[in-house]
Structure formats: C-alpha cells, structure tokens
Amino acid sequence: MIVTLLIAAAAAGWVDAVVGGGGLLLLPALLLAAPQLPLATALGTNKLAAICGTGTAALTYARRTKIDWGVAGPSAALALLCAGCGAALAGAVPAAAYRPVVLLVLVAVAVFVTIRPQMGLHEDATKRTTLRRGLAVAVAGGVIAAYDGLIGPGTGTFLVLAFTTLIGADFVHGSAMAKIVNTATNLGALIVFASTGHVAWLLGAGMAVCNIAGAVLGARMALRRGSGFVRIILLAVVLALIVKLGWDQYRLSA
C-alpha cells in the first residue's frame, strides 16, 4: 500500500506541474490504500504532499518563465484565505451537492477546449484589461480556491483555464500562475486541517518527497515542450475527471 501511494504521489506531482488535477490520482489512491483514515485526515494528508509538489513546480516555473505577479500575487493572497474557509467547511457540504455542477462545468470545458484548438497556444495581451484582471483574481483566488479547500480534485486545471480564458495567458504561463495560486490554496487548507489534527504527517512526508520529484519533471517537461503539449494533457485530465465524477454520480444514483 505504501509503494502504491508513493507511485501515485509521483504521478500526481507530474500531472499537477503540467496542468493540474493531480488530486484525481492522489486522493482516491489515499482513500483506497488507507481506508482507516477519516476523510478529513485523507484530505489534510493529501494537502501536505500536494503543497510540496506545487511549491516546487511554482519555483521551477518562476525561475524559467515570466510570471504576471500583478494577477498571480493577489490571487494567491486571496486564495490562502478562501481555501482555508473551504477547508473549515469540508464535510459540512455533502459531495452530492456540488458533484453534478462540477461535472457539467468539466463537460463544458472539454467541449470549449476541443472546438477552440488555438486557445492557450499563444498569449492574447488584448485580454489583459483591468476588469478582466480583477475578475481573474476573484475567480482564481476566491471561487476556485474555496472549492480546493472543500475537496480539491481538478483545482489546478480550473486555475489554468481561468488564467487562459480570462486574461489571455498561454497554457504554459497559465500553468505557471496556477502553480503559485495552487500552492497558496494548499497552504490555506493545510493550516486548517493541521490545526484540527487531520494530517498523517509521516505518511504525508513520504508522499511529499515523491510528489516533489514528479513536480520537477513535469514542470521542466511543460516548459520544454510548450503550450501544445500542455493542451493535450489538459484535455486528458479533464476527460479523466469527467469519467471519475460521472462514475461517482452513477453509483450514488443507482
């Protein structure tokens, strides 16, 4: 079980660094391999591993590409607070309440990205208006961060899409900003889970090492291969999320 979790942590780090969505791999693996953990503890342990990977990926991107700190900075600051609030409510809001909504959003995202093959391949500076920048901060640092605190899978993907569609970032730069904000959301949620004793520190530390290794590899690969590669991985992750959430919804309604 430990080996399975370590492999899942490395794979999740790679996926998270490229386009987000590593929670799709890591959280289910954690729940399956360690069923004795309460859901809140599984979420907290996942955040411990994830923050190490996203933080490492954020540093890798920041060293090698230009970051729009005017958007990424305020988004990260707001995300720290909103993710903490979301984590405080974790368990109070049943998954059945938001799973159908997230599923519909993911389907719309998959269709949108598919029918617009040029989206995210090149930067569109004309979208960097004051209004759009403010909206990006509100959506990324507020809405998406709160969702990450509540449950999390797909957060990085939503962040990439927010920065791509709202301020015209290409997929590589959108992913770079997403990692910075995602690090803040993970930190905000981790503080709340840790303060309530819902972190398995030893298990999380081992997973964190593997998550970091995967994150370094993923970030370097994304930077080397460019936005076209990130777009392909993004579509694959979105489709995987649709299948996962769709199956969960089917099981509950059957």
Side-chain angles (χ1 to χ4, degrees):
M1 290 187 294
I2 296 297
V3 172
T4 299
L5 283 175
L6 295 180
I7 294 173
W14 186 90
V15 173
D16 258 338
V18 175
V19 75
L24 175 68
L25 295 171
L26 193 51
L27 186 56
L30 192 56
L31 292 171
L32 288 173
Q36 74 279 8
L37 291 179
L39 176 59
T41 303
L43 289 169
T45 306
N46 174 59
K47 292 303 178 187
L48 174 59
I51 191 173
C52 296
T54 52
T56 301
L59 286 173
T60 302
Y61 277 112
R63 289 171 179 170
R64 301 190 177 200
T65 191
K66 185 178 179 181
I67 304 291
D68 186 344
W69 289 105
V71 174
S75 295
L78 179 61
L80 182 66
L81 173 64
C82 291
C85 293
L89 295 173
V93 181
Y98 59 80
R99 187 183 292 112
V101 176
V102 175
L103 185 57
L104 287 174
V105 170
L106 285 169
V107 171
V109 164
V111 172
F112 185 68
V113 175
T114 300
I115 65 176
R116 297 189 62 183
Q118 296 302 311
M119 187 190 79
L121 296 184
H122 305 285
E123 185 178 16
D124 184 0
T126 62
K127 290 185 176 181
R128 299 285 175 101
T129 63
T130 302
L131 178 61
R132 280 179 170 269
R133 290 165 70 89
L135 183 59
V137 170
V139 171
V143 178
I144 299 176
Y147 165 77
D148 189 32
L150 277 169
I151 185 68
T155 295
T157 306
F158 289 138
L159 288 170
V160 173
L161 288 169
F163 291 131
T164 301
T165 57
L166 293 175
I167 60 171
D170 60 47
F171 280 132
V172 170
H173 290 87
S175 187
M177 287 191 287
K179 295 301 142 307
I180 294 167
V181 178
N182 209 175
T183 300
T185 66
N186 286 333
L187 178 59
L190 179 60
I191 290 172
V192 173
F193 286 124
S195 67
T196 54
H198 288 298
V199 178
W201 292 101
L202 187 59
L203 176 60
M207 294 165 59
V209 173
C210 295
N211 200 257
I212 289 171
V216 171
L217 180 62
R220 290 179 177 178
M221 190 174 293
L223 287 165
R224 185 170 65 250
R225 298 198 176 185
S227 294
F229 170 73
V230 176
R231 180 180 184 274
I232 293 172
I233 302 301
L234 183 144
L235 275 172
V237 169
V238 168
L239 291 174
L241 281 165
I242 290 172
V243 171
K244 170 67 169 57
L245 292 176
W247 174 248
D248 288 346
Q249 187 66 24
Y250 170 77
R251 284 192 306 166
L252 286 175
S253 59

